[in-house]
Amino acid sequence: MGSIAEPVEEVTVSKPPGIRFIEYIKGSAISYRSYQAIVLIVTFFAYTAYHATRKTTSIVKSALDPQSPDVNLKSPFSWRRAYAHKPLESPRNSWVLGAGWVPFNGSDGTSLLGELDVGFLFVYAIGMFFSGHAGDRMDLRRFLTIGMVGTGLFTSLFGVGYWADIHIFYYYLIVQMLAGLFQSTGWPSVVAVVGNWFGKKKRGLIMGIWNAHTSIGNITGSVVASMLLKYGWGWSMVVPGLGITFVGLVIFLFLPVSPESVGADTDDDDLPSPKKVGKEVTEPLLKSEVLEDESAVGFLEAWRIPGVAPFALCLFFAKLVAYTFLYWLPFYISHTAIEGRYVSNEESGTLSTLFDVGGVVGGILAGHISDRLDARAITAASFMYCAIPALYFYRSYGHVSMTINIILMLITGMFVNGPYALITTAVSADLGTHSSLRGNSRALATVTAIIDGTGSIGAAIGPLLTGYISAKSWSAVFTMLMVSALIAGLLLTKLVMAEVAAKIQGSRSSHESHRSRPPTLEV
């Protein structure tokens, strides 16, 4: 093992400029707890910005493609559309839906929007695998900064098409694909950084709360983009793009990548201490001392870690459901009569944020339950199964009244986003420090990238299929989502059975040790 002096000498040079400035003003070194707080806050805002820019296209869709609203709601799961278009062609509905933007306001507009989504998400998914590989080999602070500034640039360029009067589909497609490439730098990097600073104890709860950035980002992106729509849809893209660029600069100035990189003394709670009496024995997420000859884990080796493949495939279907809502929910709401009334683009964007509010609750709840039960697979599978009736009821009864729509949207968001949040955070962190790695700390970004990258392929397919299927029947879209949720739960069956068997075995062992213990004599 290396001496204590070695890491400190290495890292003082690589301290972020903002950290050096704070220590200069303060006149003393920053404590380990303060570093942890900085990491949580800075990475939280970083990924909030990533998701805020990702959400904007779903808000802009209803302005780009004001297609005929969905009216066949009396028989929610009928595969045939009712011939009831004429009453909808009123001046009021035309005003609500707007004139649209060429080339997205034609008969194939919905399909073109679906192709934009798949272009973004396909490059995002492929880029994720490379980003995780690069993230385990690069300075994550600089890597994240480049990713965020690049994301801001191409998100803004999409909006520039509004003022430049660009009507070429391939311009928007290429810009979206490049935005997806830079977006892929975010998730493996922030999970790896947080993993460097926090031990395994209460990981599900901590990361469940921290992962609220996904939903907060979606809400922020929805609200900001919806508010700016009335000034022109270009502003709905440019302003979030400038926002993530600013946060990227904050990352460059303040993000401490690891305790070693800033010479921080590891906190007692995060050290491996099996001799602690009366406390849970925990394994640190990453070791506090880095071996010089430690090599990054290979891509195929990471796939062979027990649990990676089933959770990755489960996330494929979980993200298919979650991202269909992410990209199409505002569009669906604006084209669905609620209490016989069609809401405006701005109202639909604001209303869709409630799905993400439910997602915040679901992420925290799933993390807390999985910590208490010590059963990640059981928790994730249970949430996916509960998402099936939630999806059915939202499609069937969401149009009845605004109150019912809101309640069902919150419940659906909770069950859809709960397992998605759990798998992409705590599960990825657990598997990235699996015992089969023999303590190798340079696998976390790769494992995270594999799991989320596989999930992102599903995230690309869901919105793409929705673009085509919704033109014929939104009921068919919800059927696709329910089947996907079912498959996601079934893919974890083997792991669920293993966790149940472990619980039964643990319960028996505990019972037997109780019985074999000699009675205590009181004096």
Side-chain angles (χ1 to χ4, degrees):
M1 305 293 273
S3 65
I4 297 174
E6 285 174 356
V8 176
E9 285 176 1
E10 260 181 49
V11 242
T12 15
V13 208
S14 62
K15 279 187 180 181
I19 297 294
R20 289 203 296 267
F21 179 73
I22 290 173
E23 290 185 338
Y24 174 77
I25 297 295
K26 189 182 174 186
S28 61
I30 295 175
S31 68
Y32 192 86
R33 291 289 186 187
S34 298
Y35 273 123
Q36 286 183 313
I38 291 170
V39 166
L40 282 181
I41 293 168
V42 171
T43 54
F44 183 92
F45 281 107
Y47 215 68
T48 296
Y50 270 110
H51 257 267
T53 54
R54 203 176 300 176
K55 181 67 176 177
T56 52
T57 50
S58 71
I59 303 300
V60 168
K61 271 179 185 172
S62 51
L64 298 177
D65 175 26
Q67 70 157 13
S68 299
D70 181 24
V71 294
N72 187 27
L73 285 169
K74 290 187 178 178
S75 178
F77 281 86
S78 168
W79 289 81
R80 301 184 61 184
R81 293 173 65 85
Y83 294 97
H85 297 292
K86 286 187 179 179
L88 298 171
E89 294 172 0
S90 64
R92 187 192 184 289
N93 286 323
S94 299
W95 179 81
V96 170
L97 297 173
W101 187 266
V102 178
F104 303 105
N105 61 351
S107 57
D108 61 344
T110 310
S111 302
L112 290 177
L113 290 172
E115 288 171 21
L116 283 187
D117 292 341
V118 79
F120 173 93
L121 291 166
F122 179 74
V123 175
Y124 174 80
I126 300 302
M128 183 77 71
F129 294 110
F130 291 102
S131 294
H133 191 71
D136 281 330
R137 293 160 174 79
M138 283 181 65
D139 179 357
L140 289 172
R141 179 170 61 92
R142 290 184 172 87
F143 190 59
L144 262 175
T145 302
I146 293 168
M148 297 182 80
V149 172
T151 298
L153 171 66
F154 289 105
T155 302
S156 299
L157 282 176
F158 191 102
V160 166
Y162 173 75
W163 293 285
D165 201 27
I166 297 172
H167 298 278
I168 302 167
F169 170 71
Y170 288 103
Y171 169 81
Y172 297 102
L173 179 63
I174 291 169
V175 165
Q176 275 291 82
M177 290 172 76
L178 290 170
L181 179 64
F182 282 98
Q183 280 263 359
S184 69
T185 60
W187 190 243
S189 303
V190 294
V191 171
V193 171
V194 171
N196 288 340
W197 285 94
F198 291 89
K200 191 173 181 180
K201 191 175 183 181
K202 293 187 179 177
R203 183 183 295 163
L205 179 59
I206 289 172
M207 286 193 150
I209 297 171
W210 173 75
N211 193 62
H213 53 50
T214 298
S215 296
I216 299 294
N218 291 341
I219 292 168
T220 305
S222 296
V223 171
V224 171
S226 298
M227 289 173 61
L228 295 172
L229 265 184
K230 57 189 173 187
Y231 302 109
W233 62 262
W235 289 109
S236 298
M237 303 297 293
V238 170
V239 171
L242 294 174
I244 193 173
T245 302
F246 172 76
V247 179
L249 297 176
V250 173
I251 285 286
F252 179 78
L253 291 174
F254 292 100
L255 182 66
V257 172
S258 66
E260 294 77 29
S261 70
V262 290
D265 293 327
T266 308
D267 189 81
D268 291 341
D269 290 342
D270 292 297
L271 285 169
S273 51
K275 294 180 183 177
K276 283 186 180 179
V277 180
K279 292 188 179 180
E280 179 187 350
V281 178
T282 62
E283 175 189 343
L285 190 54
L286 294 179
K287 294 166 71 178
S288 58
E289 295 179 7
V290 179
L291 300 176
E292 295 298 324
D293 60 345
E294 192 175 74
S295 59
V297 170
F299 183 76
L300 293 177
E301 185 184 349
W303 264 107
R304 287 194 290 266
I305 296 170
V308 167
F311 272 115
L313 293 173
C314 171
L315 190 63
F316 175 95
F317 290 98
K319 284 191 80 167
L320 186 153
V321 179
Y323 269 65
T324 297
F325 272 90
L326 175 68
Y327 280 96
W328 287 99
L329 184 58
F331 187 88
Y332 172 73
I333 293 171
S334 68
H335 293 78
T336 301
I338 302 172
E339 291 182 283
R341 183 180 78 89
Y342 292 97
V343 298
S344 67
N345 296 336
E346 184 179 345
E347 287 175 310
S348 66
T350 306
L351 184 60
S352 70
T353 61
L354 295 171
F355 179 83
D356 294 296
V357 172
V360 173
V361 177
I364 295 172
L365 197 60
H368 179 63
I369 292 171
S370 71
D371 276 344
R372 292 295 299 270
L373 298 178
D374 191 23
R376 309 289 197 212
I378 292 173
T379 306
S382 300
F383 269 69
M384 289 313 306
Y385 291 137
C386 289
I388 298 170
L391 288 164
Y392 176 83
F393 286 121
Y394 181 67
R395 171 59 181 168
S396 301
Y397 303 106
H399 67 285
V400 172
S401 74
M402 187 62 76
T403 303
I404 292 175
N405 188 289
I406 288 170
I407 292 170
L408 291 174
M409 195 186 306
L410 286 167
I411 294 170
T412 305
M414 181 177 73
F415 287 123
V416 168
N417 280 350
Y420 160 41
L422 180 66
I423 294 170
T424 53
T425 53
V427 169
S428 295
D430 289 348
L431 296 174
T433 53
H434 195 270
S435 57
S436 65
L437 294 170
R438 299 183 186 88
N440 190 337
S441 66
R442 299 185 64 191
L444 189 49
T446 301
V447 169
T448 302
I450 285 173
I451 292 176
D452 202 44
T454 305
S456 296
I457 297 172
I461 292 172
L464 173 67
L465 293 177
T466 301
Y468 289 102
I469 299 171
S470 65
K472 297 180 181 177
S473 169
W474 274 104
S475 297
V477 171
F478 276 81
T479 301
M480 174 188 76
L481 298 180
M482 289 188 289
V483 170
S484 298
L486 175 64
I487 295 171
L490 291 175
L491 282 166
L492 296 180
T493 301
K494 188 176 178 182
L495 294 177
V496 168
M497 290 174 67
E499 287 182 352
V500 170
K503 291 289 172 194
I504 294 171
Q505 184 63 37
S507 177
R508 283 177 182 168
S509 301
S510 172
H511 185 63
E512 286 172 8
S513 64
H514 236 341
R515 290 177 60 185
S516 60
R517 190 178 299 166
T520 312
L521 295 176
E522 293 185 9
V523 181

